[in-house]
Amino acid sequence: MFVHIPVLSRELIEGLNIRPGGKYLDATVGGGGHSSLILAKSSDIRLIGIDRDEEAIAATKDKLAQYGKERIEFWQGNFAEYEPNNLDFDGIIADLGVSSAQLDIPERGFSFKHTANLDMRMDRSQSLTAKEIIDRWSEKELANIFYQYGEERFSRRIARGIVEKRPFVTTTELAEAIALCVPRQYRYGRIHPATRVFQALRIVVNQELQSLEIFLDRAPHWLKIGGIIAIISFHSLEDRIVKHKLRDSPLLQVLTKKPITASAEERAKNPRSRSAKLRLARRQ
């Protein structure tokens, strides 16, 4: 079951300043949570939903069917490769990273909370998986991605340990091996020692940061004058790119000097909202 709890929904909808009759792009439609809130604002709003995950598209088609098929269009693929027919969106949103559903469906291999194959592909038609990276990439390449994309301080030790013990089959097998690579005092902390490595693998498998940079270079051109782009990120690597791309675009006026974060109430209800940051900008 593909169910995703959207974060910062109230803040996002307020920031978009949704117009009746408007046209909106949800570049990471996920389970359709944010899209449904946009469509509910007015009966004449139209929306295009993009996702790399065919399961997300299928689930969202069902969820949004109540709003009428003529109002919604779907496109499966990487948002960096999307080519809009008309450059006249009133608003564009993207909720980055891995969705609740992808984390919670064990066989997708995104989480070490479940035993599953090392997969991590958002688009399962692509060939590169986390297993291929772990089993075939060199120790130096592994250390580099763990450090660059996971900001993992023990990247070299972990890479060395992985190379010595590979091949790996499951997520839990890899997570346990990573835990044995770090000093004992770091094994039982607030964050599991495999967390940053799994983040790095997911980012590389899905080319997340490169895709985000391309998307943020192109998306402002798709907005009407006065149209708003709203991006939710979940870790510092994403947020840094969003901050600089919105600020440096000659087409945009940044509306959030500091990112909007979740309220204490939302953080208590949905722990995954704790790291969420929303940034907004308007087409000039």
Side-chain angles (χ1 to χ4, degrees):
M1 181 65 179
F2 201 102
V3 179
H4 176 58
I5 304 166
V7 302
L8 294 168
S9 296
R10 178 177 56 80
E11 295 85 351
L12 179 86
I13 297 302
E14 284 178 5
L16 276 178
N17 191 26
I18 294 170
R19 306 170 182 177
K23 184 178 173 185
Y24 292 83
L25 174 66
D26 186 342
T28 53
V29 77
H34 289 128
S35 287
S36 64
L37 295 172
I38 292 170
L39 289 162
K41 278 289 186 179
S42 180
S43 61
D44 55 358
I45 285 172
R46 290 170 299 143
L47 182 134
I48 295 175
I50 297 175
D51 209 284
R52 299 172 73 171
D53 191 325
E54 62 183 346
E55 289 185 39
I57 295 278
T60 306
K61 280 182 178 177
D62 289 340
K63 177 168 184 167
L64 301 183
Q66 61 179 303
Y67 297 106
K69 291 182 179 178
E70 69 283 352
R71 296 177 59 194
I72 310 161
E73 185 182 322
F74 291 97
W75 187 84
Q76 186 190 342
N78 186 331
F79 59 20
E81 297 168 2
Y82 179 62
E83 297 281 353
N85 294 323
N86 300 300
L87 308 179
D88 62 349
F89 289 108
D90 293 277
I92 297 172
I93 68 169
D95 181 357
L96 304 173
V98 66
S99 73
S100 307
Q102 288 165 330
L103 285 168
D104 294 337
I105 299 172
E107 59 267 26
R108 301 305 295 269
F110 285 102
S111 173
F112 49 79
K113 291 179 181 176
H114 317 281
T115 298
N117 289 333
L118 282 164
D119 191 324
M120 300 195 192
R121 293 172 297 171
M122 291 182 181
D123 176 357
R124 290 200 276 187
S125 67
Q126 75 174 46
S127 58
L128 182 65
T129 64
K131 178 173 174 56
E132 183 170 336
I133 293 171
I134 286 295
D135 285 351
R136 296 190 179 182
W137 287 24
S138 72
E139 181 180 326
K140 184 178 180 181
E141 287 173 316
L142 292 176
N144 285 344
I145 66 168
F146 299 160
Y147 184 76
Q148 184 177 355
Y149 299 120
E151 300 178 297
E152 173 53 67
R153 60 188 293 198
F154 298 112
S155 57
R156 290 181 181 176
R157 289 175 62 157
I158 292 169
R160 192 180 315 122
I162 285 171
V163 169
E164 287 171 359
K165 293 174 184 173
R166 66 191 186 186
F168 290 90
V169 176
T170 68
T171 51
T172 46
E173 190 185 356
L174 176 61
E176 287 164 9
I178 292 167
L180 293 175
C181 294
V182 302
R184 183 176 292 274
Q185 64 266 35
Y186 292 102
R187 289 178 202 167
Y188 309 104
R190 188 173 60 86
I191 297 174
H192 189 285
T195 302
R196 294 184 179 91
V197 169
F198 270 63
Q199 173 183 296
L201 286 169
R202 193 199 80 218
I203 287 171
V204 173
V205 167
N206 298 290
Q207 298 182 304
E208 290 178 32
L209 300 186
Q210 297 96 314
S211 296
L212 177 59
E213 290 191 350
I214 294 167
F215 171 72
L216 291 175
D217 282 337
R218 300 178 66 216
H221 296 272
W222 306 341
L223 285 167
K224 287 180 180 176
I225 300 297
I228 290 171
I229 184 167
I231 311 291
I232 298 172
S233 63
F234 287 87
H235 55 76
S236 59
L237 298 173
E238 287 176 339
D239 183 56
R240 202 173 300 140
I241 292 170
V242 175
K243 176 183 176 180
H244 290 295
K245 288 291 184 182
L246 297 186
R247 185 193 65 192
D248 296 343
S249 171
L251 300 178
L252 297 176
Q253 175 194 359
V254 173
L255 302 176
T256 46
K257 284 189 176 181
K258 290 186 176 180
I260 297 167
T261 56
S263 65
E265 183 183 1
E266 181 174 6
R267 292 197 303 273
K269 286 181 180 176
N270 180 11
R272 287 177 183 154
S273 69
R274 289 173 188 165
S275 57
K277 293 180 178 179
L278 168 64
R279 293 185 185 271
L280 300 149
R282 182 190 293 117
R283 173 73 194 265
Q284 302 185 96

